[in-house]
Amino acid sequence: METQENTTQQELSGNNMIEMIKVSRSYPPDIHALSDISFHVETGEMFFLIGRSGAGKTTLLKLICNMEMPSNGLIEVAGYNINNLKGKDLALLRQRIGVAYQDFKLLNDRTVAENIAIAMEVSYKKPRAIKQRVRDLLDQLQLSSKHDLLTGELSRGEQQRVALARSVANSPRLILVDEPTGNLDSTTTEKVMDLLTRSNKAGATVVIATHDASIYQNSNNRILELREGMLHSLIRGNEI
Amino acid sequence: MNFWFAVIRQTGRNLRQTWSSQFMTFLTVSLSVLIFAFFSLIYTNMLGAGDRLTDDLSLIVYLQEEPGLAMKEQLRRKILAFDEVEELRFVSRTEAYERFAKQLGKDSDVLLDMPTDFLPASIEIVPLRSLRGYSQIKLFSEYLSSLPGTEKVQYGQEWIERFYHFVRLLTIVVVLSGTLLILTATFMVAYTIRLTILGRQDELELLKLVGATTSYIQTPFLIEGILQGLLGSIIGLLALYGLFQWISTRFTGPGILNFFQFDFFSPFILIAIVVASISLCALGSYTSIRKFLLI
């Protein structure tokens, strides 16, 4: 397993973390969520996906993490055609991808700490290391007092931060975040962006889907705008 | 943290979260093992008793007349033509009279007025051990009845017939109850695992998304099935042993159980029951995993 993990890490250190060529996604009967999307995200880049609700941002993130299959086109993550991966290979790659979903996907009958720990347990991290990492993350996101609370008892803003903490917990090489600041005030938004920036500086590629202009304006990061499922523009933040 | 540590912890979590349905399944498995093992125990003891009964089995062929030497030889040849026997002995009328008188002991005076040849001559046959099944004895007896000069053949037909019919009935009960209980236990385990899987779809989906391997997700369910089989069979057998002890102490003395020499299962049979129970419960669990755990 160690060898396989090393291989994955080697692959993850390639030039492009994400490569999409002419990717489309349709739903029956005739809904085109994404049409002919082509772009790449470099390793170590912080990349923004923007667009109005229904533009296709969430669908694009789901395609990248193989939650959904494209109707057409090629998606490569860390050099792998992600749609060809199966079983253990897919599981190992997913361990290196952290995802904060728009609907959080938290287990409401588990505590905050247990929810965050899940991401590390599946890659067999030591219990002591898991505990320490969970405490650090909760501290960074100002959730230390919620450690033993069930996630079902938290506010939406707190749940959002727990989902974000879980996505970065396993120190993944690719972090996909869907609307990370949707339910947060400006101070907490800053904390969340700090955490994502720190992960990015530590080497992780970060893709953020958002319609909150305050977090990408005036940055030097690339921004891809989607409109009605099609690529509208690909510019840098400070070009807006 | 290694794979097994993680999997065992996950199993513990599953059991804690679904303890009530797990407990019901455990009870079902225990009861199934107890009922099936109970009938099996009676059955095996009956078979043992049957063996002991046939240990002293002999057939007596009463003859119409006292056979001469040539006739004796002819009868011997005819009998051995059917099959080998362990012992074959001719009893003359006089010999029969003397034996009877001896059996009467002090009361042998009653025979004083009787002629010494009033009892019929007979042949006593002890069949081979391999030829002591009910149907074989019956066949042999029919064959002996057809021999010339035979008056009657006796071997305790009624008693043996009733005993073998009882054993046959017991065989049907054991096979039927065994089949039904095996199906019940397997179905219950499969159903419980299915409920657990369906009740935890969100968690299983999340585990898949964060990179849990198939074996990481599946193994705890398989372990649950194995635990159900192991604990269920052990408790079922312990309960049976308690029942056995109770019967043994309650019914000691000159009773039918003494005659049957009621024995408990050998260690080999006990292990076989536990292994069978584990295998069946694991099978039930596995079928649910294959059918409902879509990963």
Side-chain angles (χ1 to χ4, degrees), chain A residues 67 95 101 110 121 124-125, chain B residues 1 3 9 203 209 211:
Chain A
M67 262 178 90
Q95 286 175 16
Y101 305 92
R110 300 273 184 94
E121 284 171 0
Y124 313 124
K125 293 273 191 305
Chain B
M1 183 159 65
F3 173 78
R9 196 168 61 170
E203 185 188 346
L209 291 173

Side-chain angles (χ1 to χ4, degrees), chain A:
Chain A
M1 178 140 79
E2 208 173 349
T3 324
Q4 271 172 303
E5 215 166 294
N6 289 340
T7 315
T8 311
Q9 272 180 315
Q10 273 174 4
E11 296 287 351
L12 285 170
S13 65
N15 253 356
N16 285 339
M17 177 58 78
I18 300 168
E19 187 103 46
M20 278 201 165
I21 302 170
K22 293 181 86 61
V23 172
S24 302
R25 176 70 170 122
S26 308
Y27 298 100
D30 193 24
I31 301 162
H32 301 288
L34 289 172
S35 304
D36 274 347
I37 305 290
S38 297
F39 71 96
H40 74 273
V41 179
E42 286 174 18
T43 302
E45 188 179 1
M46 184 178 267
F47 189 86
F48 288 92
L49 283 172
I50 64 167
R52 291 181 180 175
S53 293
K57 303 186 296 289
T58 301
T59 306
L60 195 59
L61 289 187
K62 283 181 176 173
L63 290 176
I64 295 170
C65 67
N66 199 357
M67 262 178 90
E68 287 189 15
M69 301 284 274
S71 308
N72 278 309
L74 172 76
I75 305 171
E76 280 189 358
V77 176
Y80 294 108
N81 180 345
I82 196 157
N83 301 125
N84 284 348
L85 286 181
K86 281 193 175 73
K88 202 169 185 179
D89 291 334
L90 179 62
L92 284 171
L93 187 65
R94 275 178 167 161
Q95 286 175 16
R96 315 305 296 167
I97 303 175
V99 190
Y101 305 92
Q102 197 171 20
D103 59 355
F104 312 142
K105 293 202 183 301
L106 295 174
L107 305 174
N108 290 332
D109 55 348
R110 300 273 184 94
T111 66
V112 168
E114 284 170 341
N115 266 277
I116 298 171
I118 281 180
M120 291 175 277
E121 284 171 0
V122 296
S123 53
Y124 313 124
K125 293 273 191 305
K126 287 182 176 158
R128 196 187 294 172
I130 293 175
K131 268 185 191 168
Q132 189 55 50
R133 178 75 172 145
V134 168
R135 285 192 190 286
D136 287 348
L137 286 169
L138 290 178
D139 202 30
Q140 285 177 54
L141 292 167
Q142 295 179 314
L143 286 170
S144 297
S145 58
K146 314 287 181 185
H147 186 279
D148 295 320
L149 285 187
L150 298 178
T151 49
E153 297 169 0
L154 302 179
S155 70
R156 281 192 67 76
E158 288 166 337
Q159 288 181 348
Q160 192 162 29
R161 279 180 282 164
V162 174
L164 186 77
R166 189 184 58 203
S167 72
V168 301
N170 204 24
S171 305
R173 307 308 299 157
L174 172 62
I175 300 169
L176 307 173
V177 196
D178 200 357
E179 299 290 1
T181 58
N183 299 288
L184 307 179
D185 56 47
S186 58
T187 319
T188 321
T189 298
E190 212 173 297
K191 292 272 179 200
V192 164
M193 287 312 294
D194 271 355
L195 179 67
L196 289 173
T197 308
R198 260 202 299 275
S199 298
N200 179 234
K201 282 186 177 158
T205 307
V206 181
V207 178
I208 303 171
T210 183
H211 59 255
D212 180 0
S214 70
I215 63 172
Y216 59 82
Q217 268 174 345
N218 304 320
S219 74
N220 195 30
N221 300 311
R222 290 196 303 151
I223 299 160
L224 185 151
E225 187 180 359
L226 290 171
R227 280 196 191 171
E228 293 175 352
M230 286 189 278
L231 197 155
H232 179 258
S233 62
L234 185 56
I235 53 170
R236 294 216 172 257
N238 50 19
E239 291 170 8
I240 294 174

